[in-house]
Amino acid sequence: MATALLTGLVLGSIYILVGSGINLVRIATGAFNFAQAAVVMVGAFIAYEFGVERGHSTLIVILVAAAVGAVIGVVTEFVAIRPVAGKGLHGELVTTVGASTILTGLVVVIWGTEVRPVAPFVSDDVVSIAGGRVTVDGLVIIGVAIATCLGLWAWSRLTMTGLAALALSEDRDAATLRGVNVRYLSILAMAAAGAIGGAAGPIIGTQTLAVSTVAAVVILKSFLVLIVGGMGSFPGLLVGGLAIGSIEAGTVRYLGSEYSTFMLFALLLVVLMVRPQGIFGQTHERTV
Amino acid sequence: MNILRRLGLNGERLWVLPLFLGVLAIVAPWLGVGAGDLRQLMLVAILALTVSGLNLAWGYGGELAIGQLAMYALGAYVTGYLVIEGHDLAVALLASAVASAALGLVTSLPALRISGWGVAMASFFLIIMIPQVVKLFPDQTGGGIGLIGIPAPVFLGRELDDNQFYALVMVVLVLWLLVMRNLVTSRHGSALRVMRESPVLAASLGIDVRRIKITSYVLGAVPAGIAGSLFVFVDRFVAPDYFDFAAAILIIAAAVLGGAETVYGAVVGAAILTVLPARFGVFDEYSEIVFGAFLVGGGILLTNDKLKIRMDGLKLRVRNWGAAEPQRGPAAAGTPNELPALPPRTVVVEEVSKSFGGNRALNGVSLEARPGEITALIGANGSGKTTLLNIISGFYAADSGAVRLDGRALPLGHAVRTARRGVARTFQTPIVPASMTTAEAVAVGRYIADYVSMPSSMVRAPRYRKVAARDAEQGAVWLRATGLADQSRSLARGLSLGDRRMLEVARALATGASVLLLDEVASGLDLEDLERLGALLRAVRDAGGTVILVEHNFRLVTDLADSIYVLERGDLIAHGDAAHIRQNEAVARSYLGDAVAPGLAKGQA
Amino acid sequence: MLTSACAESGDDAGDDGAFVVYASVGLSGGDSGFAPSIEAGIEAAIAEINENGGLLGREVRLETDNNESDPTKAVSLLQDRIRDSAPDLVWAGTASSESLALQSLTTREEIMALNNGSAPELGDASLFPYAFSAGVRLQSAAEYLATTVVDEGYQNIGIIAGDDPAGEAAMSLYEDAFEDAGLDVATESYEAEAVEVDGPLARLAESDPDVVIFNSTYQAEPVLKSRIKVGMEDVPFIGDVSTTIRSLDETLNDAEKSGVELMSYNVNASTADSPGVTNLLASLDAAGETPETALYLYALGYDPILAYANAVESVGSTDVTEVRAAMEAGEGDTYELSLSDDPGWSETDHLASGEGRFTIIPVAPLVAGQFQIAE
């Protein structure tokens, strides 16, 4: 029981780490960035290249991964988000999937399709907590995910830039009129999301290793967490992520893996039936 | 061009060109087109059918229901199973269409409550569950390995060779596009756009959003199911591998690249994504990167604003090409003509109270609006006048009290049913759906009053033609009355604010309503527009309409209204004609005291 | 890879008297992890035949199309190629869905179609009479595993496999084989692309197995990492052949490797020294190719081509019916095969038999296509 819960929390934390970057971009640009999980994957490969192959320290690996992630974020913003965001055509469904495809393709060309090792972050030893077993790195992931999510929440509520971004997500035109610099915010958000995604790569990589197929697996679950928690909400992301990870792991453990997709689908329907905007989501219904 | 015109072609009849191309495509094998090209064309046609279903629900209806791949897979498996069992392709096609329609119906049910990305997520689940569902029926589907041994297609008892099967695929595509084109150019297409733009607007026109949503899901599923059915014979093999996430992305990308809100764009998008990536194989290990770059580039190009505006303009020019010029000049734009008589209706509000979370918005308000009169509701911001309007029009339920129309209580909180009782309204910010002409935007008001079923619209049955003729005739009446006749063929979105407000009035009246609720209809209008509006409202009144005006503009109100009610923080503080209200002290204190100057200034702005 | 010509080259098969082998391989997309190895094996075989004077004296030319791991694209490309003029021999895709789609076509056209699949349907001679694969029948692998666990004295067997088609097929055959051998079996499947397998392993642990047999088409690491997490480090794990396509040596730590054995094809072990293996390595070396995956994948491309050449040389014709019969009878010995002396094709089953092909190895580093096993 405890092990399944811990497994679920680690899984959920992976979704949260990927989801926080998506949420950030979503708040600042209104677009859904399908390429975010691919940035995390690139981060994992950087952990392999710099940490395992070249033997650099964890700090350097994280910095390089964050820097590369930020660059990818900014480039994605210019190429795939800005030209299509806010037009109501969901062009990002095509362009950010394209960006994700490019990143995966680049990874395959550079590192191949094989699984590559990622060095332990703190330790890959297994420890017992409250009768459950989990790796030390698993605990690190849970901690980092919670801290990232809470940090971004505080940022969006307490800082001027964060509030400006929130205002932007509520009403783009009004925020623009009040002097919010949309372009600057959009670039900033994509750079930050890229850096977070890149830096998350070496940490998530301790669980997933560096492999080119991981982005596709993780992005959908992260998307699910965002929908269930409420798009654009960091508390929703945190609660949704931990809940969905636990439910997924619990289902696999006690019912069998063949039920997990059906269970998550049922969960999605139930949550959306009760709260169509997600648990912590806000409605923006047009007033008449 | 002149030759075409001499043949009797014009924008309205231009559909014969795609039809001609379609017929050419059908007979291509006998015109010497090579087998390799035929196979490519067939793949384009099958993808186009699937994309077309997506266009209907997503492009026109605005629903992020992007699970077409699931219907496609279902169609493929149903047909695969049936033909292996020895059934005729005609039977299998029908069964696939029915099965996919059923799946569309099932998926539409949650969508009645969920919207936006929630629907997208549910669609994604539908897609990732395909292999798992396939595994539940290993004997019928071949499980993970796939269905092997699919025979040559036998259609209506005769075995088709490659060319004949190709022709069958093309015939199906052409028929579907015809039907689809008939549907989206009918008022159902307008209703879909209205639903996409604003469910609130749809409800105010009496359009049942749930029903039209379900219909769009079901109809969007059918071509995908049929496409899946035909796909079975492309490789004579069906496996879950065909229905992976990449395939779903391909369908979405084709819809975006071809233009989701189009009929023939599905073919263009499908062609781009079938023909071009077929060449990407030569990039070997770089092909994924090339494909990704292609998606990014295509996505940017095809959602480009300038291009979209140009395309919309071009489409409009093509549609209007060769049509009789609308009337121009003062005669057309001038004073409202006489309106047809409107049935007299009386609205009585009885002791209506309404609170929002402890805030009392309305406190036992009663009023009466009589036919042939303009009744105005005024009051400062937060006085409750818009709340009252929303209650009368059925958007809010009242906590207590009733609203009676000719003595019968209105179904408060049920906007659709209220609208169908003949109560119409406009909005503070005019809601004008994109990519509709002024004439279409007005005609959609007649959707319920003069209903034509979807099947009837799809095949252009006599009933459809009669109603379409009435649409043109009645629409023209309201367009003339509102001075929009010379803009009837322009894009409604491009109209000036004054014209958009006129359009809302015309649309409201086109529903056949004689009770007209106007929500701050004068705000932002210049003097000339205000005059037009005043003349129109008087004409409505003189025709016997019951006009209820919620307004800030005091001068307009005193100019127009026969009866004025003044609200202050939810209480009715005065009632009377203009002269009476002007002299009322309570009104002066509460409302005019601090608002009269800005109110006047606003009227002149 | 430089030798792979494009189908667009224009000259028809036979124009210059050459014998054309058309290969449809997934150089990009889902197959790209292993398809290049198979293609290199095909090239090595063809190079060997040409060095030996060609096939019945005709030069053999390879034409490769990248089907992007897409069955429909594969069929389109082959149809185009056939319309130009039919190739003499087809390599029908690198994944089972491509092979099944392509073989519907090659069977109708009566073209010999080699492939590397091991799904039972691909070997069914009544469905696809002209299709042959060096992929081993799963039953043979299952029997080998059963013998292995019986020899070790295990009674209570756990099986865990991915929920992909290959994993499911393997699991049900293993279960049958173990039960036939009188063993107690518990099975569990996991989501093939999952990042951890904690839950399924914990479920399996409840049956308290003496040994766990595991399968993984995508990656074996999650299984072996989860094994430690759920406390099964004392239970021996044996990976099936799907776990020796590449090395687990770098991606696992010592605790994760301990108590793990893997079933491998002989050809993958550094201890292998048959003439066929030596020839394959020499041919690859001559082509400047250093194997990146296990040598087995190269052998999957290499052996069927040479077995075909053996059959053609023995009957002195490329007539499909005659060659088919010769291949089923295992005739001809012009070339040495690498996986075994004889693929063991029969009149009804065109998948390879497993005799003498397998060995059990520890987790070991992979160098130039072979796991480095201490003698």
Side-chain angles (χ1 to χ4, degrees):
Chain A
M1 182 71 195
T3 301
L5 184 64
L6 285 167
T7 303
L9 294 180
V10 174
L11 265 185
S13 299
I14 294 174
Y15 307 152
I16 290 170
L17 276 172
V18 176
S20 36
I22 299 174
N23 236 357
L24 193 61
V25 174
R26 160 91 188 162
I27 288 175
T29 70
F32 190 95
N33 182 12
F34 278 93
Q36 183 69 17
V39 178
V40 176
M41 171 192 69
V42 171
F45 274 96
I46 284 175
Y48 160 71
E49 182 70 40
F50 286 82
V52 177
E53 287 288 294
R54 305 191 188 179
H56 289 292
S57 71
T58 306
L59 182 68
I60 292 186
V61 166
I62 294 273
L63 287 178
V64 172
V68 172
V71 170
I72 295 175
V74 172
V75 172
T76 311
E77 203 278 340
F78 275 100
V79 174
I81 302 244
R82 175 167 309 172
V84 298
K87 293 191 182 166
L89 295 167
H90 295 299
E92 80 260 29
L93 263 178
V94 174
T95 55
T96 64
V97 165
S100 181
T101 311
I102 293 175
L103 287 175
T104 308
L106 281 173
V107 161
V108 169
V109 167
I110 299 172
W111 288 290
T113 52
E114 280 199 20
V115 187
R116 303 289 180 176
V118 171
F121 196 70
V122 175
S123 157
D124 53 5
D125 290 345
V126 175
V127 292
S128 283
I129 289 181
R133 291 163 62 93
V134 64
T135 59
V136 175
D137 281 344
L139 291 175
V140 171
I141 290 188
I142 299 176
V144 169
I146 294 175
T148 305
C149 206
L150 291 180
L152 285 172
W153 187 37
W155 168 81
S156 72
R157 293 281 152 181
L158 302 178
T159 68
M160 281 308 289
T161 351
L163 287 172
L166 268 188
L168 201 62
S169 72
E170 310 248 320
D171 190 335
R172 233 181 150 70
D173 296 336
T176 313
L177 284 177
R178 289 191 194 112
V180 173
N181 189 333
V182 179
R183 297 191 137 205
Y184 166 73
L185 251 182
S186 178
I187 295 176
L188 190 73
M190 279 299 287
I196 291 171
I203 308 172
I204 292 178
T206 61
Q207 307 297 303
T208 63
L209 303 176
V211 56
S212 58
T213 51
V214 75
V217 181
V218 170
I219 189 73
L220 271 181
K221 299 276 175 66
S222 303
F223 186 21
L224 173 69
V225 166
L226 288 167
I227 297 286
V228 168
M231 276 278 206
S233 157
F234 286 106
L237 176 63
L238 187 61
V239 174
L242 297 179
I244 284 184
S246 307
I247 290 170
E248 184 184 356
T251 307
V252 170
R253 171 67 184 83
Y254 295 102
L255 294 177
S257 65
E258 58 270 39
Y259 294 98
S260 90
T261 307
F262 292 113
M263 178 64 103
L264 292 179
F265 186 44
L267 175 83
L268 172 78
L269 288 184
V270 168
V271 169
L272 291 186
M273 282 297 150
V274 179
R275 272 187 77 81
Q277 71 274 34
I279 300 170
F280 286 83
Q282 317 230 313
T283 43
H284 300 289
E285 271 177 43
R286 188 185 176 120
T287 41
V288 288
Chain B
M1 282 301 202
N2 276 333
I3 298 172
L4 291 177
R5 208 175 274 196
R6 228 172 280 158
L7 287 170
L9 262 185
N10 59 32
E12 291 283 306
R13 293 193 193 142
L14 213 59
W15 54 271
V16 303
L17 278 187
L19 183 63
F20 177 66
L21 289 177
V23 172
L24 265 189
I26 293 170
V27 300
W30 297 278
L31 299 177
V33 176
D37 295 329
L38 289 181
R39 182 177 160 91
Q40 290 296 317
L41 285 174
M42 192 158 72
L43 290 172
V44 169
I46 288 173
L47 181 57
L49 274 170
T50 316
V51 171
S52 187
L54 180 63
N55 283 354
L56 192 67
W58 182 34
Y60 286 90
E63 291 287 304
L64 268 176
I66 44 190
Q68 248 66 25
L69 185 70
M71 329 301 176
Y72 179 72
L74 180 65
Y77 275 109
V78 166
T79 293
Y81 172 72
L82 287 176
V83 296
I84 285 181
E85 291 288 301
H87 292 278
D88 194 279
L89 175 55
V91 176
L93 265 175
L94 193 66
S96 292
V98 171
S100 54
L103 183 58
L105 179 66
V106 171
T107 56
S108 75
L109 299 179
L112 294 181
R113 222 175 125 63
I114 312 168
S115 61
W117 289 106
V119 174
M121 187 72 239
S123 308
F124 283 149
F125 258 102
L126 217 54
I127 292 165
I128 55 181
M129 285 194 304
I130 294 172
Q132 313 215 10
V133 174
V134 164
K135 251 185 257 167
L136 294 178
F137 306 97
D139 295 340
Q140 289 79 25
T141 62
I145 285 291
L147 268 181
I148 304 164
I150 289 166
V154 176
F155 189 71
L156 299 177
R158 79 179 263 185
E159 185 170 323
L160 303 183
D161 64 25
D162 284 354
N163 287 349
Q164 289 163 335
F165 179 70
Y166 162 88
L168 174 70
V169 172
M170 285 299 163
V171 167
V172 169
L173 175 68
V174 168
L175 285 180
W176 166 259
L177 289 180
L178 264 179
V179 162
M180 163 99 174
R181 180 252 168 208
N182 284 348
L183 185 71
V184 299
T185 55
S186 79
R187 284 186 325 211
H188 292 285
S190 304
L192 278 171
R193 288 165 162 143
V194 166
M195 170 178 90
R196 177 190 65 195
E197 198 70 33
S198 159
V200 168
L201 171 61
S204 81
L205 298 174
I207 298 174
D208 187 344
V209 173
R210 299 158 69 94
R211 183 171 167 175
I212 200 157
K213 216 178 231 190
I214 293 175
T215 318
S216 70
Y217 276 68
V218 171
L219 276 181
V222 169
I226 290 176
S229 175
L230 296 170
F231 175 71
V232 165
F233 302 96
V234 165
D235 295 341
R236 299 235 199 133
F237 173 59
V238 181
D241 285 15
Y242 286 106
F243 313 114
D244 59 2
F245 210 69
I249 293 299
L250 199 70
I251 295 171
I252 297 168
V256 171
L257 294 185
E261 198 189 338
T262 57
V263 176
Y264 309 114
V267 181
V268 176
I272 293 174
L273 279 179
T274 305
V275 175
L276 280 186
R279 315 268 168 248
F280 289 168
V282 302
F283 294 106
D284 284 352
E285 66 261 50
Y286 299 102
S287 60
E288 209 171 345
I289 300 175
V290 175
F291 182 60
F294 170 72
L295 287 183
V296 174
I300 293 172
L301 188 67
L302 273 303
T303 52
N304 183 289
D305 273 338
K306 277 183 198 149
L307 190 72
K308 183 166 165 34
I309 290 168
R310 256 187 229 159
M311 287 301 285
D312 275 357
L314 184 69
K315 272 196 302 205
L316 202 65
R317 286 220 330 253
V318 169
R319 274 177 61 188
N320 291 343
W321 170 67
E325 286 292 309
Q327 276 182 289
R328 287 206 177 272
T335 50
N337 293 4
E338 269 176 45
L339 295 181
L342 297 167
R345 293 274 173 80
T346 306
V347 176
V348 177
V349 176
E350 290 172 354
E351 295 285 328
V352 164
S353 296
K354 174 81 184 171
S355 299
F356 292 106
N359 274 341
R360 199 93 168 146
L362 287 174
N363 199 5
V365 173
S366 298
L367 60 81
E368 183 176 0
R370 283 182 292 269
E373 279 190 9
I374 296 176
T375 307
L377 277 173
I378 60 170
N381 277 334
S383 61
K385 52 189 192 311
T386 295
T387 304
L388 185 56
L389 188 111
N390 283 333
I391 287 177
I392 299 173
S393 56
F395 283 94
Y396 296 160
D399 296 339
S400 65
V403 180
R404 293 183 191 283
L405 181 66
D406 284 347
R408 260 181 72 207
L410 281 175
L412 300 186
H414 296 279
V416 172
R417 278 157 60 198
T418 305
R420 292 183 179 189
R421 292 273 304 273
V423 177
R425 64 167 296 166
T426 67
F427 299 90
Q428 271 181 32
T429 315
I431 310 177
V432 179
S435 53
M436 287 170 81
T437 65
T438 309
E440 284 172 328
V442 171
V444 73
R446 293 176 31 79
Y447 185 77
I448 291 299
D450 205 357
Y451 187 76
V452 190
S453 69
M454 283 212 184
S456 190
S457 305
M458 285 168 140
V459 301
R460 298 269 137 122
R463 157 104 184 124
Y464 170 86
R465 291 172 189 283
K466 271 184 218 153
V467 173
R470 279 205 292 274
D471 274 352
E473 187 187 309
Q474 295 275 314
V477 168
W478 297 116
L479 286 168
R480 265 201 310 279
T482 47
L484 295 172
D486 58 343
Q487 311 220 52
S488 64
R489 291 170 186 280
S490 316
L491 281 177
R493 266 282 170 91
L495 296 180
S496 69
L497 178 64
D499 283 341
R500 273 182 283 153
R501 291 210 187 277
M502 290 303 207
L503 168 70
E504 282 217 309
V505 174
R507 182 174 65 201
L509 290 169
T511 62
S514 55
V515 178
L516 183 61
L517 307 174
L518 302 165
D519 193 0
E520 308 210 352
V521 70
S523 71
L525 295 191
D526 61 22
L527 267 183
E528 195 186 321
D529 283 335
L530 279 175
E531 265 170 42
R532 269 169 72 196
L533 181 70
L536 173 63
L537 295 186
R538 284 193 192 95
V540 173
R541 175 186 65 190
D542 296 343
T546 311
V547 180
I548 300 177
L549 195 61
V550 162
E551 199 40 76
H552 267 309
N553 188 328
F554 194 70
R555 177 182 282 183
L556 182 78
V557 167
T558 50
D559 265 8
L560 279 176
D562 303 292
S563 169
I564 301 175
Y565 289 84
V566 186
L567 286 168
E568 184 189 43
R569 291 192 192 131
D571 287 306
L572 196 60
I573 57 166
H575 166 224
D577 60 14
H580 177 81
I581 293 299
R582 273 200 206 98
Q583 284 152 16
N584 187 304
E585 271 180 43
V587 176
R589 205 172 44 244
S590 136
Y591 181 62
L592 304 178
D594 50 289
V596 65
L600 288 174
K602 206 172 182 182
Q604 273 146 7
Chain C
M1 224 148 290
L2 288 171
T3 51
S4 62
C6 271
E8 275 98 336
S9 57
D11 32 8
D12 291 336
D15 264 11
D16 51 359
F19 179 94
V20 175
V21 179
Y22 172 89
S24 180
V25 287
L27 294 177
S28 55
D31 306 353
S32 61
F34 55 88
S37 304
I38 292 167
E39 194 207 3
I42 298 170
E43 281 176 27
I46 289 174
E48 219 164 287
I49 295 169
N50 284 335
E51 215 161 283
N52 196 36
L55 191 67
L56 299 178
R58 288 165 73 189
E59 193 206 338
V60 181
R61 195 174 67 225
L62 176 66
E63 291 178 6
T64 304
D65 264 338
N66 176 11
N67 63 35
E68 296 183 69
S69 313
D70 175 347
T72 303
K73 208 161 280 178
V75 172
S76 299
L77 290 167
L78 178 56
Q79 280 188 347
D80 285 349
R81 187 61 189 80
I82 289 175
R83 261 188 305 275
D84 276 1
S85 74
D88 299 294
L89 179 66
V90 166
W91 190 275
T94 39
S96 73
S97 52
E98 295 154 32
S99 297
L100 288 167
L102 284 171
Q103 282 172 189
S104 294
L105 176 60
T106 54
T107 303
R108 282 196 299 265
E109 299 283 337
E110 300 191 345
I111 301 174
M112 188 65 77
L114 308 178
N115 67 84
N116 48 272
S118 52
E121 291 80 355
L122 283 170
D124 187 338
S126 63
L127 287 173
F128 308 117
Y130 310 115
F132 288 87
S133 169
V136 171
R137 288 171 211 140
L138 279 171
Q139 287 94 332
S140 309
E143 281 155 21
Y144 180 83
L145 275 173
T147 314
T148 305
V149 294
V150 168
D151 287 352
E152 296 277 339
Y154 299 122
Q155 177 59 36
N156 208 355
I157 317 295
I159 308 173
I160 185 157
D163 63 358
D164 54 293
E168 293 199 325
M171 181 143 80
S172 78
L173 285 167
Y174 295 170
E175 193 177 0
D176 292 348
F178 293 176
E179 280 172 354
D180 286 351
L183 302 168
D184 299 321
V185 185
T187 63
E188 202 58 53
S189 75
Y190 64 93
E191 287 173 273
E193 294 181 321
V195 297
E196 47 76 29
V197 190
D198 295 2
L201 274 181
R203 288 168 66 83
L204 203 56
E206 282 172 1
S207 67
D208 202 15
D210 304 330
V211 65
V212 172
I213 307 296
F214 68 103
N215 158 286
S216 76
T217 310
Y218 294 90
Q219 29 171 327
E221 285 85 354
V223 174
L224 296 177
K225 285 180 180 295
S226 287
R227 168 178 175 241
I228 309 294
K229 273 191 275 175
V230 302
M232 294 180 89
E233 58 266 45
D234 296 331
V235 181
F237 270 49
I238 300 176
D240 74 359
V241 278
S242 68
T243 62
T244 46
I245 296 304
R246 53 181 192 84
S247 174
L248 301 171
D249 190 54
E250 282 185 24
T251 46
L252 296 177
N253 63 29
D254 289 342
E256 288 156 355
K257 285 180 210 169
S258 150
V260 176
E261 288 183 308
L262 307 171
M263 173 178 167
S264 169
Y265 292 92
N266 283 326
V267 69
N268 289 341
S270 55
T271 47
D273 67 340
S274 71
V277 175
T278 313
N279 287 350
L280 170 57
L281 286 170
S283 299
L284 289 174
D285 194 46
E289 182 95 24
T290 310
E292 287 177 11
T293 63
L295 199 57
Y296 168 64
L297 288 177
Y298 295 82
L300 269 184
Y302 181 79
D303 276 18
I305 300 275
L306 292 186
Y308 173 83
N310 280 341
V312 168
E313 297 290 351
S314 78
V315 298
S317 143
T318 56
D319 175 83
V320 278
T321 318
E322 286 179 46
V323 176
R324 174 191 166 182
M327 287 173 84
E328 285 165 348
E331 282 170 24
D333 52 7
T334 317
Y335 302 97
E336 300 279 359
L337 306 186
S338 65
L339 286 164
S340 67
D341 294 343
D342 177 0
W345 290 314
S346 74
E347 281 172 29
T348 53
D349 194 341
H350 291 179
L351 293 181
S353 71
E355 255 164 81
R357 292 177 181 225
F358 302 115
T359 179
I360 296 284
I361 61 167
V363 176
L366 186 71
V367 176
Q370 294 189 310
F371 294 106
Q372 300 304 298
I373 318 287
E375 292 276 350

